[in-house]
Amino acid sequence: MAASALFILDLKGKPLISRNYKGDVGLGEIEHFMGLLLQREEEGALAPLLPHGHVHFLWIKHANLYLVATTKKNGNASLVYSFLYKVVEVFCEYFKELEEESIRDNFVIVYELLDELMDFGFPQTTDSKILQEYITQEGNKLETGRSRVPTTVTNAVSWRSEGIRYKKNEVFIDVIESVNLLVSASGCVLLSEVMGTIKLKVFLSGMPELRLGLNDRVLFELTGRGKNKSVELEDVKFHQCVRLSRFDTDRTISFIPPDGDFELMSYRLSTQVKPLIWVESVIEKFSHSRVEILVKAKGQFKKQSVANGVEIAVPVPSDADSPKFKTSVGSAKYVPERNLVLWTIKSFPGGKEHLMRAHFGLPSVEKEEEEGRPPVAVRFEIPYFTVSGIQVLPVGGIWGWGGYGAGREHGPGG
């Protein structure tokens, strides 16, 4: 059992939209939600589930809205929260941005979507691409549209329409990894985590079945292959099209894909990696009247790869003024509202080393209290490069596909 009713509230707790699916929870119960929320917030005991008598409020906040589900049953809370986030995703697909104004401007579509997303407290069709086939935002289509729901909704494969045809069948695979890395001033890696997603863009006719294989350590252990080039995936999450039983049996990702763009899977690796761009900074103060900062950045990845859009954020004292910069490459600017220098390098090849020198004036009277020194933050993207070394290959059959890999590091370095 999921939810008895669903409410969308503004920041003051006023209901903008409500849909009572079961009728066992009165619509007036929502008046208690904001009071409970504020009370728990004052007590420092704010929780995603708020009880009031026999009614439970399960809620999430998105932009300037609260999405609240109510229930009297001892239901599956994880299912309710998953549904609420799916509602946000669907509305964002329809309205680009989900906020109070988009709800007020599209309340007819919102009610139609809520009727299709859930029925008598049970989630139903939640795929926005399928919903868009028969729930549109054009008024004339609402009147003269299909008189019945597409068969896709009732098919076993509810995420793909029948009769799709392409002159050229293609599949494009993107592997995108984001690295969170924290390094101490002494060079020790304090935190290292890789978050990855595998995205597909599918242009295939009919109802094709695709099979992909990974250089997964569990698979290599099952088949007795070496572990040198294998990766150990954690927290793996799949799109609903993937046959989980097949993956559990032989680690093959077998699926009938949705049409167009979609995220096939996400994963996490807690393996330790070295900083791809190593940054050292030295701060030197002179007579309490000026400060110089020397920053050295070195690419610690293979020379064939290039980091794009490199941003190195270097913190500076809050009372600094009169900035002057000198860089061996790229450009630097002072961002006073964030108390930092932002060094931007458009292209950073592997193995290269670059320098940036910043000069600031300081007030004649130095602050008595010592300021803490925040870490240097580095952001960049490396196309055709994955930190984990994960490999994705088609298993059996022949189908055209293109590949693209990108590694992104988002994290502070010492």
Side-chain angles (χ1 to χ4, degrees):
M1 186 67 64
S4 296
L6 180 64
F7 299 85
I8 301 179
L9 316 177
D10 62 16
L11 290 178
K12 296 181 180 180
K14 179 181 178 181
L16 302 174
I17 293 287
S18 64
R19 186 69 176 87
N20 199 335
Y21 294 103
K22 293 179 60 63
D24 59 341
V25 176
L27 295 178
E29 290 288 342
I30 196 63
E31 297 177 2
H32 303 290
F33 169 74
M34 188 53 66
L36 290 170
L37 187 69
L38 296 176
Q39 179 184 348
R40 290 295 186 91
E41 192 172 9
E42 291 177 357
E43 296 173 352
L46 193 60
L49 191 151
L50 303 175
H52 180 263
H54 297 291
V55 178
H56 293 83
F57 300 103
L58 298 91
W59 64 279
I60 64 172
K61 184 179 180 182
H62 180 83
N64 57 353
L65 298 172
Y66 290 102
L67 282 79
V68 185
T70 61
T71 180
K72 281 188 175 182
K73 304 291 184 181
N74 184 19
N76 187 334
S78 297
L79 177 61
V80 176
Y81 290 117
S82 179
F83 176 76
L84 291 177
Y85 283 109
K86 194 66 181 180
V87 169
V88 171
E89 180 183 328
V90 170
F91 285 174
C92 287
E93 287 286 335
Y94 267 82
F95 313 133
K96 305 303 179 185
E97 293 182 3
L98 176 58
E99 55 187 11
E100 181 178 344
E101 185 177 354
S102 59
I103 293 295
R104 293 185 183 277
D105 292 344
N106 300 278
F107 69 93
V108 174
I109 297 291
V110 170
Y111 273 117
E112 290 197 19
L113 288 172
L114 292 179
D115 286 339
E116 295 297 329
L117 287 165
M118 180 171 281
D119 184 22
F120 199 67
F122 293 95
Q124 299 295 312
T125 305
T126 58
D127 191 299
S128 60
K129 292 183 179 179
I130 301 302
L131 289 168
Q132 287 172 359
E133 291 188 15
Y134 61 101
I135 297 181
T136 66
Q137 292 170 278
E138 290 81 5
N140 60 334
K141 288 190 177 181
L142 285 173
E143 296 174 2
T144 62
R146 303 186 184 193
S147 59
R148 60 183 180 85
V149 175
T151 56
T152 309
V153 176
T154 55
N155 283 348
V157 184
S158 60
W159 54 85
R160 183 179 179 87
S161 302
E162 296 180 353
I164 297 175
R165 291 290 180 268
Y166 287 100
K167 292 183 178 180
K168 185 178 181 180
N169 292 313
E170 293 181 309
V171 177
F172 297 89
I173 301 178
D174 288 358
V175 180
I176 301 175
E177 290 188 343
S178 176
V179 181
N180 297 318
L181 195 65
L182 182 63
V183 183
S184 68
S186 60
C188 296
V189 176
L190 305 177
L191 172 67
S192 176
E193 186 179 56
V194 180
M195 308 295 291
T197 58
I198 298 178
K199 298 185 177 181
L200 270 66
K201 181 178 290 187
V202 178
F203 303 103
L204 297 176
S205 303
M207 285 287 181
E209 180 170 341
L210 307 183
R211 293 188 298 275
L212 294 176
L214 305 173
N215 55 332
D216 178 30
R217 182 164 298 179
V218 176
L219 171 61
F220 280 29
E221 290 175 353
L222 289 173
T223 57
R225 299 170 64 183
K227 299 180 182 179
N228 293 336
K229 295 184 179 180
S230 63
V231 295
E232 187 172 358
L233 303 178
E234 303 174 19
D235 296 340
V236 179
K237 298 178 182 178
F238 290 109
H239 187 275
Q240 61 174 326
C241 67
V242 176
R243 293 186 173 90
L244 298 180
S245 58
R246 180 71 181 271
F247 183 77
D248 291 337
T249 303
D250 58 11
R251 310 297 284 187
T252 298
I253 305 174
S254 178
F255 58 100
I256 297 175
D259 188 47
D261 299 323
F262 75 102
E263 182 178 301
L264 178 66
M265 65 174 287
S266 63
Y267 59 89
R268 179 177 65 87
L269 293 94
S270 56
T271 181
Q272 183 166 313
V273 298
K274 67 178 182 179
L276 297 178
I277 294 182
W278 179 261
V279 177
E280 296 181 14
S281 65
V282 178
I283 298 180
E284 188 173 359
K285 292 186 178 181
F286 298 90
S287 304
H288 310 313
S289 61
R290 63 188 177 91
V291 61
E292 286 191 1
I293 303 175
L294 177 64
V295 180
K296 180 172 66 175
K298 182 178 181 180
Q300 298 191 131
F301 49 92
K302 57 186 180 180
K303 296 181 180 180
Q304 297 88 342
S305 298
V306 177
N308 297 328
V310 180
E311 292 184 351
I312 302 175
V314 184
V316 299
S318 59
D319 56 348
D321 57 22
S322 306
K324 296 179 181 179
F325 307 106
K326 185 178 181 180
T327 62
S328 61
V329 69
S331 61
K333 67 176 181 179
Y334 178 41
V335 187
E337 63 271 17
R338 296 170 58 190
N339 295 324
L340 57 81
V341 173
L342 191 62
W343 182 15
T344 303
I345 304 173
K346 186 177 181 180
S347 179
F348 198 136
K352 294 291 184 178
E353 184 174 301
H354 300 297
L355 298 174
M356 186 273 290
R357 187 182 297 274
H359 177 279
F360 288 89
L362 293 176
S364 57
V365 180
E366 186 182 27
K367 292 183 178 180
E368 294 183 0
E369 67 273 14
E370 287 292 329
E371 293 185 351
R373 185 181 174 188
V376 175
V378 186
R379 295 179 182 274
F380 56 91
E381 295 184 2
I382 306 179
Y384 307 100
F385 181 87
T386 56
V387 180
S388 66
I390 190 171
Q391 297 176 4
V392 184
L393 295 172
V395 178
I398 300 177
W399 37 284
W401 64 287
Y404 172 86
R408 299 185 181 130
E409 179 163 342
H410 302 287

